[in-house]
Amino acid sequence: MAKTTHFFLGANSGQGFQNLFSRFCEPENHYDLLVLKGGPGVGKSTMMRTIGKAMEEKGEQVEYLYCSGDPGSLDGVHIPRIRTAVVDGTAPHVIEPKYPAAVDRYINLGQFYDIAAAKQSRAEVIRHTLSGSAAYQRAYRAFGAARQMDDGSAALIAEGLDAGRLLRRTDGIIGREIRGKGSGGRDEYRFLGSLTCQGPIWRFDSVQTLCPRIYQLQDTYGLASPMLQRIHAAASAHGFRAIVCPDPEHVDRIQHLLIPELGLGFVTSREGMEYIGPAYRRVRLDAMVDSSHYKRFKARLRFSVRVSNALREEGLDALREAKAAHDQLEAVYHPHVDFDGVQQLAKAELERIESYL
């Protein structure tokens, strides 16, 4: 069976929905980019899963891209060798073709709705849609408040950081690991995980699949980003393509870094994002903060953790409420979908994709 990896292109955060779709869907990256259109319950995720499974059976490497609202559903499937991908192009990650047919194209699954029957359920559709939207807004308010608490703690801890020690450790890793010349190519941007209706989900299995040697960065307060930025810059200077995994709370900061050509991965590990797999090296970034500084602010830091954890749990409850509203919405639509038509279209598109092999 072919190698598979699992990432996210969207993530829930204290700044709302974070979106890497535009980076992924740059048409220059693809030979064929299928943009699925159609509302809830019409079979978008099922179609993507069917195509992904068929490509695995053909021996292709497949990348599955999950929905941060419901990690049981897909937002995309990617077959890198033939530069082909299928993505959900509906809100909150609307995608529009840039070079229609020549590179990217619509697949309209909305044509399989029984419109007359769906209109009979108009009131239910509106009610469940508004309920889900309100739940997401509640989640983002809670995550935003938690983020403020965490950022305050991070700023406090950074005051006691031995920056020179961190720099020396970083440069030691670079000198030991970033050697030779890479094959070039563009970096890829993915979220390794997200806060979801099932709780925090982080796909460290993808790191293990791509990177035999993993550095575990034990980092409670967000100290790892400068180290990862510096390692990434060194890898780029040597021509090594990276998979950059931003922090959903601060998308300009690197949270995890994968360099598959070197078989090398760097993962941040902390409460709520624990890496429990095998590690080639463990780097205790927390130990680079002066112990007397920790002791001085111990009570304040503990209070911040309790408050941010409670706020984050409130946000997760809201995500579960949003998922329930979406499930109700799909249940309304399901009787009004021509699934035989959806399956026939999926079969035709799969045959087209197989012709690229």
Side-chain angles (χ1 to χ4, degrees):
M1 190 64 72
K3 178 167 61 177
T4 63
T5 55
H6 309 266
F7 293 96
F8 291 73
L9 289 179
N12 298 306
S13 79
Q15 292 188 312
F17 179 73
Q18 300 291 352
N19 187 344
L20 297 177
F21 275 80
S22 59
R23 282 183 180 268
F24 176 79
C25 292
E26 289 178 353
E28 292 79 7
N29 296 336
H30 301 284
Y31 175 73
D32 197 10
L33 176 63
L34 289 68
V35 179
L36 302 185
K37 296 292 186 177
V42 78
K44 298 188 295 295
S45 183
T46 300
M47 181 174 179
M48 288 184 278
R49 203 176 298 277
T50 298
I51 290 171
K53 183 66 174 177
M55 290 296 101
E56 286 188 65
E57 292 173 353
K58 293 286 187 180
E60 292 295 322
Q61 178 182 347
V62 178
E63 178 185 21
Y64 292 98
L65 303 164
Y66 292 87
C67 172
S68 60
D70 175 13
S73 296
L74 291 177
D75 272 346
V77 63
H78 180 210
I79 306 97
R81 189 183 69 82
I82 59 173
R83 299 172 61 217
T84 295
V86 189
V87 297
D88 180 344
T90 60
H93 36 77
V94 175
I95 302 298
E96 300 294 343
K98 185 175 180 180
Y99 305 115
V103 177
D104 38 7
R105 54 198 175 90
Y106 288 128
I107 302 294
N108 177 23
L109 298 184
Q111 65 182 297
F112 297 108
Y113 282 133
D114 182 335
I115 296 176
K119 285 188 176 297
Q120 297 300 313
S121 303
R122 180 177 185 273
E124 289 181 277
V125 167
I126 292 173
R127 182 172 72 253
H128 296 317
T129 300
L130 293 177
S131 176
S133 178
Y136 272 114
Q137 293 308 309
R138 175 183 146 213
Y140 295 147
R141 286 194 296 271
F143 292 151
R147 177 179 184 268
Q148 289 184 357
M149 298 299 294
D150 291 341
D151 284 354
S153 295
L156 189 63
I157 284 296
E159 294 174 2
L161 174 66
D162 185 341
R165 182 180 174 189
L166 178 62
L167 179 61
R168 290 191 297 274
R169 188 63 188 273
T170 303
D171 287 347
I173 292 171
I174 291 171
R176 183 168 57 249
E177 301 288 3
I178 312 298
R179 297 180 175 182
K181 294 296 291 183
S183 59
R186 303 176 65 175
D187 290 338
E188 298 178 4
Y189 287 78
R190 306 285 190 271
F191 291 118
L192 194 62
S194 177
L195 297 172
T196 80
C197 63
Q198 297 178 15
I201 291 182
W202 302 96
R203 297 306 304 250
F204 290 115
D205 55 325
S206 294
V207 185
Q208 293 171 322
T209 295
L210 296 171
C211 304
R213 291 179 298 128
I214 297 175
Y215 278 73
Q216 178 186 6
L217 309 180
Q218 297 172 330
D219 175 24
T220 303
Y221 297 104
L223 304 174
S225 182
M227 169 180 273
L228 294 175
Q229 298 280 7
R230 193 172 179 87
I231 294 171
H232 179 226
S236 296
H238 282 256
F240 292 108
R241 179 188 64 84
I243 300 175
V244 179
C245 301
D247 181 347
E249 296 293 348
H250 299 277
V251 292
D252 59 330
R253 302 179 190 175
I254 301 176
Q255 191 170 66
H256 314 281
L257 181 66
L258 287 61
I259 311 174
E261 197 171 353
L262 292 173
L264 188 63
F266 299 86
V267 299
T268 299
S269 181
R270 62 169 180 260
E271 182 182 356
M273 191 172 64
E274 296 93 345
Y275 174 69
I276 60 175
Y280 173 67
R281 297 279 173 85
R282 289 183 170 86
V283 182
R284 294 182 60 236
L285 296 181
D286 293 346
M288 297 184 186
V289 177
D290 184 82
S291 59
S292 64
H293 189 76
Y294 270 126
K295 290 178 182 178
R296 180 183 175 190
F297 297 105
K298 184 177 180 179
R300 187 189 301 181
L301 293 169
R302 285 184 172 179
F303 172 77
S304 293
V305 168
R306 288 197 302 271
V307 173
S308 64
N309 284 346
L311 288 166
R312 199 163 285 109
E313 186 55 43
E314 172 71 12
L316 293 175
D317 282 342
L319 290 183
R320 288 187 277 270
E321 183 181 313
K323 171 62 164 60
H326 186 76
D327 288 347
Q328 291 172 316
L329 192 60
E330 287 195 332
V332 172
Y333 274 111
H334 271 158
H336 311 317
V337 177
D338 174 10
F339 287 109
D340 288 339
V342 174
Q343 290 174 1
Q344 288 299 315
L345 180 57
K347 181 181 178 181
E349 292 301 337
L350 178 56
E351 290 175 352
R352 187 194 303 271
I353 291 170
E354 288 176 339
S355 74
Y356 306 150
L357 298 178

